[in-house]
Amino acid sequence: MVIRMNKYKIHILDESHIFEERENGIIHTSFELETTFLSGIKKGSRTDVKLMINNMIDSGITIGKMSDDNLRQIKYWVVSLFTLITRSAIQGGLDETTAYNFSDNCIMNIDKMTKTDDIVEDVIQKCITLTDMVAESREKSVYPQPIRKCLHYINTHLHERLDVVTLSKECGLSGDYLSYLFKKNMGINLSKYIRTQRLQASKEMLKDNYSVSDIAYYLGFCSESYFISCFKKEFGKTPKQFRNQI
């Protein structure tokens, strides 16, 4: 059985015809090919991942049968795929919380789709995005351990109070030294980095239809108007304009 799309071809191995398919040389996409693809994600190599994706597109992808419904079949395959690539990304150095949240959001988005072509296209783009995230994370791995710990804490506590006192206690450094070390390694002061990360998080909350006032409150901005001002300065548009363009 083949799910035929405009651009992609996915062959489904059917147990009821397994002998016939083997006789015709139709086998599951090899473990070796799969491992090479996952290795590219783990290394954060966009070049390797894009090459493997192009190879798989050219030769077609073969997967086991998981549903009689084509759309559901593709979605089941995507969930399995994201399980694998998420773990590869974590093994490559991507923060666990970041990796799992990325995977969950991708699957939620896929769940709303109704066209198989759109799903496969989205998956390809997300694989490349995740690979780039791993590459960026690996660059950060050269930072001193206190800075890595600080970055992880900020990433996982954006909805909580974040200041030099809290972070310095978490990292076991004085506030002054943490500020100095952070600026030296990151090229940006601590408070500005926290604000930038919160603004990035606000974009996802806008996509999830949180109100602007709730976003300002949850992410620790002193007022809704200050949040809007910071957002416009960072992205060149207001939160409302950003949401209307989604």
Side-chain angles (χ1 to χ4, degrees):
M1 172 184 171
V2 177
I3 299 179
R4 297 192 180 279
M5 296 171 262
N6 294 330
K7 186 176 179 181
Y8 309 103
K9 181 175 70 174
I10 296 183
H11 193 97
I12 309 299
L13 281 173
D14 188 341
E15 280 191 13
S16 62
H17 301 96
I18 196 71
F19 177 77
E20 178 184 340
E21 289 173 334
R22 284 175 178 163
E23 284 294 299
N24 292 326
I26 301 171
I27 58 173
H28 198 289
T29 297
S30 73
F31 177 72
E32 181 181 0
L33 191 64
E34 187 177 275
T35 302
T36 303
F37 170 66
L38 295 175
S39 176
I41 292 177
K42 184 177 177 180
K43 291 188 298 182
S45 174
R46 170 189 272 250
T47 301
D48 288 354
V49 169
K50 290 186 74 172
L51 179 63
M52 293 304 300
I53 288 173
N54 289 335
N55 287 341
M56 286 187 280
I57 289 173
D58 291 341
S59 60
I61 300 170
T62 304
I63 59 179
K65 184 175 182 179
M66 291 172 271
S67 174
D68 290 324
D69 179 83
N70 285 350
L71 181 61
R72 193 176 293 118
Q73 165 76 41
I74 295 297
K75 290 184 177 182
Y76 286 163
W77 167 64
V78 167
V79 172
S80 302
L81 177 63
F82 272 111
T83 299
L84 294 173
I85 66 174
T86 300
R87 279 150 182 75
S88 294
I90 293 170
Q91 290 170 356
L94 187 62
D95 177 75
E96 287 186 27
T97 302
T98 301
Y100 286 131
N101 286 345
F102 178 83
S103 175
D104 291 344
N105 287 334
C106 289
I107 292 172
M108 286 287 290
N109 186 50
I110 292 293
D111 189 51
K112 300 171 186 175
M113 294 185 178
T114 58
K115 296 181 180 179
T116 53
D117 272 293
D118 292 344
I119 292 174
V120 176
E121 189 68 42
D122 189 70
V123 167
I124 289 171
Q125 294 305 315
K126 292 301 190 296
C127 284
I128 294 171
T129 299
L130 186 63
T131 303
D132 289 342
M133 291 167 64
V134 173
E136 183 180 352
S137 177
R138 289 169 74 89
E139 290 177 3
K140 291 180 180 179
S141 67
V142 301
Y143 298 148
Q145 193 274 339
I147 298 302
R148 297 199 303 272
K149 190 171 185 178
C150 182
L151 292 172
H152 177 74
Y153 190 88
I154 292 170
N155 186 53
T156 54
H157 293 79
L158 285 175
H159 295 183
E160 301 173 22
R161 180 179 177 82
L162 288 171
D163 53 31
V164 175
V165 174
T166 303
L167 291 168
S168 61
K169 287 180 179 178
E170 182 67 22
C171 298
L173 301 174
S174 70
D176 287 342
Y177 187 62
L178 175 61
S179 296
Y180 161 76
L181 198 63
F182 194 92
K183 179 68 178 293
K184 178 183 177 182
N185 284 272
M186 300 297 296
I188 183 175
N189 67 47
L190 192 52
S191 60
K192 186 173 182 180
Y193 178 84
I194 292 169
R195 184 168 64 249
T196 298
Q197 294 306 110
R198 282 178 163 158
L199 288 170
Q200 288 292 342
S202 74
K203 292 170 74 175
E204 297 304 316
M205 296 179 74
L206 285 166
K207 292 176 183 178
D208 291 335
N209 290 318
Y210 282 86
S211 70
V212 172
S213 59
D214 281 347
I215 294 172
Y217 173 76
Y218 287 134
L219 292 178
F221 289 89
C222 61
S223 68
E224 180 179 340
S225 60
Y226 179 63
F227 164 64
I228 294 172
S229 174
C230 290
F231 191 97
K232 186 173 183 180
K233 185 177 180 180
E234 183 75 13
F235 304 117
K237 61 190 74 173
T238 66
K240 183 178 179 181
Q241 289 170 334
F242 173 81
R243 175 173 276 158
N244 290 338
Q245 291 175 358
I246 298 174

